[in-house]
Amino acid sequence: MDRQTLTEIAVSVGAVGTMIGAMMFVGSSYTTNNELTTEGGQVLVGVIFLFILLMFAVGFALSKADFESDAEQASHDGANGS
């Protein structure tokens, strides 16, 4: 796999892991008698909204990342024997 694909996978898995962790935190912090409280539901909606914003930011940052110049630099370094 190339560097761009590995970076995209790592960042996406990290973002999803953060989302799952936040949801677990909300679920454990805002429960009464094994049911999510009203406030917990509101916090969970906020977490989902922040996840959407996070994924937008990650996608935008990855789309602006210049992976081709990194690949060109690596191929030039390899061609020079460095």
Side-chain angles (χ1 to χ4, degrees):
M1 274 193 235
D2 62 339
R3 182 171 182 247
Q4 179 179 2
T5 304
L6 289 174
T7 302
E8 290 172 352
I9 290 170
V11 169
S12 298
V13 168
V16 170
T18 301
M19 170 67 169
I20 291 172
M23 292 175 80
M24 289 176 65
F25 174 76
V26 170
S28 65
S29 298
Y30 293 95
T31 55
T32 303
N33 298 330
N34 292 328
E35 292 185 11
L36 194 61
T37 63
T38 304
E39 184 181 2
Q42 293 170 345
V43 173
L44 188 58
V45 169
V47 166
I48 293 169
F49 179 73
L50 290 175
F51 176 71
I52 292 168
L53 290 179
L54 173 68
M55 291 307 292
F56 172 77
V58 165
F60 185 76
L62 286 175
S63 73
K64 297 296 181 186
D66 190 12
F67 291 103
E68 276 118 34
S69 69
D70 292 341
E72 290 173 7
Q73 183 66 33
S75 68
H76 289 305
D77 289 346
N80 295 333
S82 300

